[in-house]
Amino acid sequence: MVLPGWLHTVWLAIFLAGQGTVLGLEFDINDEQSIKNAAAKTAFNMMSQYHGNESGQIPGKLPDTWWEGGAMFMTLIQYWFWTGDTSYNEVTTQGMLWQKGENDYFPSNYSNYLGNDDQVFWGLAAMTAAELNFPEQDGQPSWLSLAQGVFNTQVPRWDTSSCNGGLRWQIWPYQAGYTTKNSVSNGGLFQLSARLGRYTTNHTYTEWAEKIWDWTATTTLLSTKNWNIADTTTTQANCKDQGNLQWTYNYGMYLSGAAYMYNLTNGGDKWKKGIDGLMETTFSRFFPQKFGGNVMSEISCEPNMMCDRNQDCFKGFLSSWLTFMTTIVPYTAGEILPKIQASAEAAAKQCSGGGSKMECGRRWHQANWDGTTSLETDMSALSIFSSNMITHKLQDNAPLTADTGGTSKSNPNAGTGPEEHTIKPKPITTADRAGASILTILFICGWIASLTWLVYGG
Ligand SMILES: *[C@@H]1O[C@H](CO)[C@@H](O)[C@H](O)[C@H]1NC(C)=O
Ligand SMILES: *[C@@H]1O[C@H](CO)[C@@H](O)[C@H](O)[C@H]1NC(C)=O
Ligand SMILES: *[C@@H]1O[C@H](CO)[C@@H](O)[C@H](O)[C@H]1NC(C)=O
Ligand SMILES: *[C@@H]1O[C@H](CO)[C@@H](O)[C@H](O)[C@H]1NC(C)=O
């Protein structure tokens, strides 16, 4: 359609006038009710895009992604904790339990193409539920045991055939990414282990956390000199190469894990160094001076607006992990809280998408809505809004442990049932993200044959 020039001008004027009146969500860091309102509105918008609890749908499953379900429930558990709003507890419990697999968040419908990072997000969601005493369901495994189930299934995947250790990104050899060792997978298990260690005081977890941190620092993934965290490295190069894209969640994973280790070692120097080093790089990179120095930005994809749906979730994780960090590493609060507050105020201005629905865009640093709306951008905004309750919820908000009131029951053997001992991927279908080259298929046939031989012939 080609508009006459004058009509176009009129149209543009009306459009701009309309934009001018849209101010985003009201958000005042000093007003508890305004924080709760903004969070409630954003939670509602996010959940309007979730249909897993409707008849004929699969609880906990979002279209074309499995891991994001875990991230979404983690965000809702934190939302409940900070605001006290129980509206989404039922749907959260339903999804979290439906997707539990054999108590290990490795459900057979999807396990053919899951990576370690996908699985660990559900484990971290379960850990969050345990630490915040999110209500348990009778006759179901405890939240803590589900987190332990993820730990128990990931540790045996520790791979010493290259790089002297580390988790691979992908679990199955036919997946692209099998030869990658990445920060979010290793950082994920590091953080989960540190949190399990602090909750249970079981040294097995703490030792694993330390081992994963130390190993990461031997590779190009983590530098303990300049505190850079790279995204990926590969087994072909024995972890000497580097995919150095910068992502908030990679820094958040290791920073938060170090915070738990700091706390459980009663202020251990090694962890203090890690926290101070990583805070410095996290702040200088993801809170750019050009946006005032306190507003978070996903710097590798926001400038060109090329963030994919995964990447649109990341700022939310860093928001919540930094916020909880102030409770277990209290000396960091003075530096962290102004960033949580300024980021939330900025994010609220982004929430004028979808007309009166007020959905949140991506670029928190931009004063007007950037034109994006998604479940993921809402999820990140929800996280930064909820986090701001920390200055209003006047109690010890630290994640609980078995000794400080956490009631979730431990089951150190979770996820190690007989089913897990035999590796048996289902036949690969076209729906799976399998690169179906002849070589891969031959390799898998040989591999299943040798497994069969091990099981039946050995
Ligand atoms: C699904 O959950 C939403 C909350 O997100 C709730 O409003 C709705 O009633 C639930 N639907 C069903 C069918 O239970
Ligand atoms: C697995 O797939 C079946 C068939 O679509 C579905 O009924 C079931 O709910 C799915 N389970 C999970 C854990 O997603
Ligand atoms: C560990 O966390 C608790 C809150 O659970 C806090 O009171 C304590 O000061 C922290 N320890 C250190 C060494 O910061
Ligand atoms: C500690 O955790 C390990 C690993 O899951 C387990 O084998 C061990 O039994 C646990 N110890 C206690 C005392 O729970």
Side-chain angles (χ1 to χ4, degrees):
M1 179 173 67
V2 181
L3 296 172
W6 64 270
L7 188 55
H8 188 262
T9 311
V10 170
W11 180 249
L12 194 69
I14 294 169
F15 178 76
L16 287 177
Q19 293 285 294
T21 59
V22 181
L23 295 169
L25 281 174
E26 209 177 288
F27 189 90
D28 177 356
I29 53 166
N30 298 312
D31 176 359
E32 179 173 343
Q33 198 53 46
S34 119
I35 297 172
K36 285 183 172 171
N37 291 347
K41 182 93 182 146
T42 307
F44 179 85
N45 285 340
M46 177 177 87
M47 290 309 278
S48 304
Q49 300 166 72
Y50 171 75
H51 302 287
N53 65 335
E54 294 165 14
S55 65
Q57 304 283 329
I58 300 177
K61 181 72 174 65
L62 292 167
D64 304 318
T65 175
W66 181 75
W67 82 273
E68 277 187 21
M72 183 179 81
F73 294 129
M74 179 170 86
T75 309
L76 286 172
I77 292 165
Q78 291 160 342
Y79 168 70
W80 158 79
F81 173 76
W82 287 121
T83 64
D85 180 0
T86 58
S87 301
Y88 304 103
N89 285 13
E90 206 174 307
V91 80
T92 297
T93 304
Q94 182 198 38
M96 288 283 292
L97 293 175
W98 195 268
Q99 294 300 329
K100 71 184 189 298
E102 308 285 346
N103 301 339
D104 55 1
Y105 287 114
F106 203 54
S108 60
N109 280 6
Y110 317 111
S111 57
N112 270 355
Y113 59 86
L114 294 185
N116 284 304
D117 49 353
D118 300 317
Q119 185 191 21
V120 87
F121 265 94
W122 288 85
L124 293 171
M127 192 70 225
T128 304
E131 288 171 341
L132 303 181
N133 269 350
F134 185 71
E136 309 255 9
Q137 184 116 317
D138 286 343
Q140 288 286 345
S142 69
W143 301 126
L144 178 62
S145 73
L146 291 172
Q148 290 170 308
V150 171
F151 173 89
N152 287 337
T153 44
Q154 294 215 330
V155 157
R157 298 188 197 130
W158 188 256
D159 166 67
T160 50
S161 71
S162 60
C163 317
N164 285 317
L167 282 184
R168 294 170 182 267
W169 173 22
Q170 296 297 327
I171 295 164
W172 306 112
Y174 52 79
Q175 285 279 100
Y178 182 69
T179 57
T180 296
K181 293 190 174 175
N182 62 344
S183 282
V184 72
S185 299
N186 287 285
L189 184 58
F190 164 62
Q191 190 194 110
L192 182 66
S193 305
R195 292 169 72 168
L196 284 169
R198 178 172 172 274
Y199 193 102
T200 64
T201 67
N202 181 331
H203 290 299
T204 308
Y205 301 126
T206 347
E207 280 159 19
W208 267 97
E210 186 139 17
K211 175 172 166 160
I212 299 166
W213 171 277
D214 290 348
W215 172 82
T216 311
T218 67
T219 71
T220 54
L221 292 175
L222 167 66
S223 164
T224 51
K225 292 199 180 68
N226 65 16
W227 300 102
N228 185 75
I229 298 185
D231 192 42
T232 57
T233 187
T234 69
T235 58
Q236 292 96 326
N238 210 28
C239 296
K240 299 281 180 250
D241 59 347
Q242 191 183 51
N244 198 25
L245 276 177
Q246 299 290 297
W247 300 112
T248 49
Y249 80 154
N250 286 332
Y251 285 78
M253 276 292 187
Y254 281 94
L255 188 48
S256 169
Y260 281 86
M261 291 302 285
Y262 171 89
N263 195 265
L264 76 86
T265 56
N266 203 12
D269 192 48
K270 170 175 179 172
W271 304 109
K272 181 171 190 311
K273 280 207 185 78
I275 289 167
D276 293 346
L278 287 177
M279 274 220 299
E280 165 106 43
T281 41
T282 301
F283 289 168
S284 62
R285 271 166 220 191
F286 302 110
F287 297 81
Q289 283 305 326
K290 65 178 167 191
F291 308 137
N294 280 333
V295 176
M296 196 189 301
S297 173
E298 198 63 74
I299 57 165
S300 296
C301 64
E302 281 180 15
N304 56 9
M305 290 295 272
M306 295 290 278
C307 305
D308 68 22
R309 65 188 295 191
N310 302 307
Q311 295 153 4
D312 272 329
C313 303
F314 297 169
K315 292 203 298 292
F317 308 139
L318 182 60
S319 302
S320 64
W321 292 333
L322 283 175
T323 302
F324 278 108
M325 185 168 148
T326 65
T327 66
I328 52 174
V329 189
Y331 79 86
T332 61
E335 273 191 279
I336 289 175
L337 291 181
K339 294 187 158 49
I340 296 301
Q341 295 178 325
S343 293
E345 286 173 328
K349 297 203 184 94
Q350 263 307 297
C351 303
S352 59
S356 60
K357 283 166 72 183
M358 315 207 75
E359 288 182 282
C360 302
R362 166 187 299 146
R363 281 180 173 170
W364 294 352
H365 59 268
Q366 184 173 304
N368 296 315
W369 179 52
D370 64 15
T372 59
T373 56
S374 66
L375 181 147
E376 292 81 3
T377 50
D378 283 340
M379 195 195 313
S380 277
L382 174 58
S383 182
I384 193 76
F385 295 155
S386 308
S387 294
N388 274 273
M389 282 299 295
I390 192 166
T391 55
H392 298 279
K393 194 164 180 255
L394 301 176
Q395 62 170 65
D396 185 358
N397 291 309
L400 298 170
T401 69
D403 293 332
T404 62
T407 53
S408 203
K409 293 270 175 306
S410 170
N411 175 7
N413 299 318
T416 61
E419 303 86 356
E420 282 75 29
H421 288 308
T422 40
I423 306 166
K424 39 174 189 193
K426 292 197 308 182
I428 298 145
T429 67
T430 45
D432 297 325
R433 285 187 274 142
S437 75
I438 296 287
L439 264 183
T440 313
I441 291 166
L442 283 178
F443 175 68
I444 292 165
C445 291
W447 179 59
I448 290 173
S450 62
L451 265 184
T452 313
W453 184 84
L454 273 177
V455 174
Y456 296 106

